[in-house]
Amino acid sequence: MGKIIALANQKGGVGKTTTTINLAASLAALEKKVLVVDADPQANASSGLGIDIKKVNKTIYECLIGTASPKEAIIKTEIDRLEVLPSHINLVGAELEMLNIENREKQMAEVLVPLKEDYDFILIDCSPSLGLITVNALTAADSIIIPVQCEYFALEGISKLLNTIKIIKNKLNPILEIEGFLLTMYDARLRLANQIYEEVKSHFQDLVFTTVIQRNVKLSESQSFAQPVLLYDAASKGSHNHIQLAKELIEKNS
């Protein structure tokens, strides 16, 4: 039975999509069967895994409004054992269309929970907002990874996210747990980055992943080539960091 993990933080630019793409590719390289669910209308996780969005006609949007089944919408990637349930800009409108649906917060759970038997990990890339689609993702998830950028305003907004998680846990999804806080864009040379790391560690202790994702040019470059860094430059620091993170996640869940 697989595990559904949402990657969420309502603060933009913290590395959610980069982490989703590269963690998924690393888990697949470690022989786990992985599905990436792109729950962001920008569809960056889809294009970052080599999917041409313009040519896709069934996405998570059609699954949520009930006009397609996930099996029809899932696409294989060039990496063995890694598949994608892509997104589309239409997803922006899904929030409005779902307003009149009964149990609207549980639509994504209805789509994804039956897929748990087919995968070891299902990773949901959430949009940087706490709207209905993100609430759906957190209601469907078993746990949440919270990427935190090693910058001055990093801890801003985390309390809001933690409050949302608490509400969802109380009202919609009692099993939702925090898988871990992941420090991204870490530069060991900067005193500030080390201060942020210490602060997050002292706040959240064992909930912080030991692995940190360091700043890495190859990580940014790989996105413009629509590839995970593992395919773009397997020897890069970015690739090593994500393999390390994947190993830590597997160990945590074994």
Side-chain angles (χ1 to χ4, degrees), residues 4-254:
I4 302 176
I5 303 175
L7 286 93
N9 187 334
Q10 79 275 18
K11 191 175 183 303
V14 298
K16 276 190 305 292
T17 302
T18 305
T19 303
T20 306
I21 291 168
N22 291 294
L23 173 58
S26 300
L27 286 165
L30 294 167
E31 303 194 338
K32 298 295 176 189
K33 189 128 195 277
V34 187
L35 175 68
V36 167
V37 177
D38 193 346
D40 185 343
Q42 292 178 69
N44 292 335
S46 306
S47 51
L49 285 166
I51 307 297
D52 185 348
I53 300 305
K54 296 185 195 76
K55 292 180 181 169
V56 171
N57 52 25
K58 288 191 171 71
T59 67
I60 183 70
Y61 165 74
E62 281 78 15
C63 297
L64 288 174
I65 62 165
T67 60
S69 76
K71 304 268 174 159
E72 294 173 279
I74 288 168
I75 300 171
K76 288 186 182 330
T77 69
E78 58 181 316
I79 297 173
D80 279 350
R81 295 177 290 274
L82 175 55
E83 297 176 342
V84 184
L85 182 47
S87 184
H88 190 273
I89 192 67
N90 288 352
L91 194 57
V92 170
E95 301 213 350
L96 288 173
E97 289 178 58
M98 287 160 67
L99 284 176
N100 299 322
I101 297 175
E102 207 180 331
N103 284 335
R104 57 180 180 264
E105 299 90 354
K106 298 188 175 177
Q107 293 305 109
M108 199 178 292
E110 282 179 25
V111 172
L112 299 183
V113 172
L115 298 175
K116 283 170 79 167
E117 292 169 19
D118 302 333
Y119 298 94
D120 296 303
F121 292 98
I122 296 175
L123 304 182
I124 311 174
D125 183 36
C126 298
S127 66
S129 77
L130 292 175
L132 183 56
I133 300 294
T134 301
V135 168
N136 258 268
L138 296 178
T139 304
D142 298 304
S143 66
I144 173 172
I145 290 176
I146 303 170
V148 180
Q149 191 179 359
C150 286
E151 291 198 350
Y152 186 66
F153 295 114
L155 297 173
E156 259 194 14
I158 283 187
S159 59
K160 194 176 172 189
L161 178 62
L162 292 177
N163 197 38
T164 303
I165 292 168
K166 195 171 160 188
I167 292 165
I168 287 170
K169 213 172 147 67
N170 286 339
K171 300 198 167 165
L172 295 164
N173 182 6
I175 65 160
L176 183 65
E177 296 293 343
I178 293 173
E179 189 74 42
F181 290 85
L182 174 70
L183 287 140
T184 62
M185 303 177 206
Y186 177 78
D187 187 339
R189 297 166 303 178
L190 300 178
R191 197 172 76 202
L192 178 64
N194 291 304
Q195 280 173 349
I196 300 288
Y197 180 81
E198 291 307 324
E199 204 170 326
V200 174
K201 195 81 180 137
S202 70
H203 259 75
F204 302 109
Q205 298 169 353
D206 293 346
L207 285 176
V208 182
F209 282 103
T210 307
T211 307
V212 294
I213 307 299
Q214 292 161 284
R215 277 198 183 278
N216 181 240
V217 176
K218 299 288 184 192
L219 207 49
S220 310
E221 282 177 5
S222 66
Q223 291 173 4
S224 57
F225 287 88
Q227 285 184 325
V229 72
L230 194 64
L231 290 184
Y232 180 70
D233 186 347
S236 67
K237 200 181 283 178
S239 183
H240 286 307
N241 287 166
H242 285 94
I243 285 282
Q244 205 50 50
L245 176 64
K247 284 179 177 169
E248 192 175 342
L249 185 64
I250 291 166
E251 203 174 304
K252 214 172 178 183
N253 287 285
S254 58

